Amino acid sequence: MDANEQETNIGKFIAQLRKEKKMTQKELANQLHITDKAVSKWERGLSCPDISLLNPIADILGITTSELLNGQKNEQLSNDIKKNVDKALIYAEKSAQKKMISLQNIVTLSFSLVLLLSIIICAICDIAISGAFTWSLYPISSIIFAWFLFIPVIQYKEKGIKGSLIIFSLLIIPFLYILHTIIGGDTFIMRIGIPISFLSILYLWCIYFIFKKLKTKKIRAISLSLLLIIPLNIAINGFLAAILSEPLFDAWDMLSFGIILISALTLWIVDCTKKKTT
C-alpha cells in the first residue's frame, strides 16, 4: 500500500467512525483543537493527521491507534501487537514533545541572555559616561518588564498568551510608577498612563476571548479585533481631550476609522465567502 492509498484509507475510516458517532467535522475538530478544514482534508485523502494527534483521534473515535493506521477495525489483530503499536506511537509522541520542550528552553535561555547582555551594556555605558545610573534606568526597567511579558509566550507559545496578558495586567501600573519615580517631578506618566493602561488591558483581554471563542474562524476574529480599535481610540481621545484640552477628533482620526472599517468589512466578507465555497 503506497502513502496516498494509506492516507485515503485513514481518511475514509475517520469519516466512517465520525458519522457512526453522529459527530460533525467541526465537533471532531473542536475536540482536537484544530480547524474543521484539517478534518475535511483527512477525510478526502489530501493529508494525514499529525503523529501527535493519532492517540487523541483514536480515543475520541473509540478505536486503537493501530486500527486507525490500518484504516479499518481488525478484530483478529492480536492484543500484543495492538499494545506494541500503541506504545510505539506514544513513545514517538513523547519524544517529539521532549524535543520541542528542549528547543523552547534553548530559545528562552537565548532570549534571557540577550536581554541580560543589553542591561549590562547599558549599565556600563551609563556609568562610564555619567559616573552613575541615570538614563540607563529607563532601558533597564523596560528590558526587565519585556522579559516578564514575553517569557510565557516564548516558553509555552499559544498557551502562554494568557500568562503574558495576566503579567501585563498586573505589572503595567508598577512599571509606570517606576518610570514616574525615575523621572521625578510632576509628570503625565501616572495621570495619563494609568487610564490608558486600563483601556489597553480591557482591549487586549477582549481580543483574547474573541480569538478563543472563534479559534476556528481566525479571519472573523481579526475583523472584530479591528473594529474594537475604534471604540478604544475614541475612549483614549476623549480622555486626552479632557486632560490636554485638545480636540476629540481630527482628520487623521477620521481617516484611520475609515480604513479600519473598510479593512474589517473586507475581512468579514472574505470569511463569509470562504465559508460558502467550502
Side-chain angles (χ1 to χ4, degrees):
M1 183 186 298
D2 60 23
N4 291 334
E5 186 178 353
Q6 186 180 20
E7 286 183 0
T8 302
N9 288 341
I10 293 174
K12 288 181 179 179
F13 192 42
I14 291 174
Q16 174 193 333
L17 296 173
R18 175 181 60 77
K19 291 173 183 176
E20 288 178 1
K21 290 186 173 292
K22 297 181 180 179
M23 296 174 62
T24 63
Q25 291 181 344
K26 186 175 181 181
E27 288 172 341
L28 177 58
N30 287 339
Q31 292 190 50
L32 296 170
H33 305 292
I34 57 174
T35 64
D36 53 349
K37 292 177 183 177
V39 177
S40 176
K41 286 183 178 181
W42 299 344
E43 296 184 356
R44 287 182 290 159
L46 299 179
S47 65
C48 203
D50 186 83
I51 189 171
S52 62
L53 294 175
L54 294 180
N55 280 322
I57 294 172
D59 290 339
I60 293 169
L61 298 179
I63 57 174
T64 64
T65 48
S66 57
E67 288 174 329
L68 178 60
L69 289 173
N70 286 332
Q72 61 181 351
K73 289 184 179 180
N74 191 347
E75 303 298 338
Q76 297 178 349
L77 193 65
S78 69
N79 289 330
D80 289 339
I81 295 176
K82 289 180 181 180
K83 289 178 181 179
N84 288 335
V85 172
D86 290 341
K87 285 180 180 178
L89 289 169
I90 291 171
Y91 175 80
E93 183 179 345
K94 288 183 177 179
S95 180
Q97 288 177 349
K98 286 181 179 179
K99 289 182 180 178
M100 181 60 68
I101 291 172
S102 178
L103 178 61
Q104 288 172 346
N105 290 335
I106 292 172
V107 173
T108 301
L109 180 61
S110 300
F111 178 73
S112 302
L113 289 175
V114 169
L115 293 188
L116 179 60
L117 181 62
S118 301
I119 289 174
I120 293 172
I121 291 174
C122 288
I124 291 174
C125 291
D126 194 13
I127 293 175
I129 296 172
S130 309
F133 287 106
T134 55
W135 58 265
S136 65
L137 294 175
Y138 303 110
I140 288 174
S141 57
S142 300
I143 290 170
I144 294 173
F145 178 68
W147 186 86
F148 281 106
L149 191 60
F150 288 106
I151 280 296
V153 176
I154 295 173
Q155 188 70 26
Y156 303 106
K157 294 187 178 180
E158 290 186 7
K159 293 180 180 178
I161 293 175
K162 185 177 180 180
S164 291
L165 284 175
I166 292 173
I167 290 172
F168 179 80
S169 303
L170 294 175
L171 295 186
I172 184 62
I173 303 302
F175 173 64
L176 291 175
Y177 179 76
I178 290 172
L179 292 181
H180 170 76
T181 304
I182 293 172
I183 293 173
D186 184 21
T187 65
F188 285 104
I189 290 181
M190 298 301 289
R191 281 192 291 164
I192 295 178
I194 290 177
I196 292 179
S197 295
F198 279 122
L199 290 172
S200 301
I201 290 169
L202 178 62
Y203 173 72
L204 291 173
W205 277 108
C206 286
I207 291 178
Y208 173 77
F209 286 114
I210 286 173
F211 274 89
K212 189 174 181 180
K213 184 71 175 178
L214 302 174
K215 54 187 173 184
T216 59
K217 300 177 181 177
K218 294 282 183 13
I219 297 177
R220 188 168 298 189
I222 294 172
S223 175
L224 291 173
S225 300
L226 284 174
L227 286 175
L228 283 177
I229 293 177
I230 295 177
L232 173 67
N233 202 325
I234 291 173
I236 291 175
N237 282 359
F239 175 76
L240 291 177
I243 295 294
L244 304 176
S245 300
E246 293 187 356
L248 183 61
F249 300 114
D250 57 23
W252 289 108
D253 289 320
M254 303 309 295
L255 178 62
S256 63
F257 290 165
I259 294 173
I260 291 170
L261 282 172
I262 293 172
S263 301
L265 182 60
T266 302
L267 289 172
W268 191 277
I269 293 172
V270 168
D271 182 69
C272 293
T273 305
K274 196 174 180 181
K275 187 175 180 181
K276 288 180 180 179
T277 56
T278 53

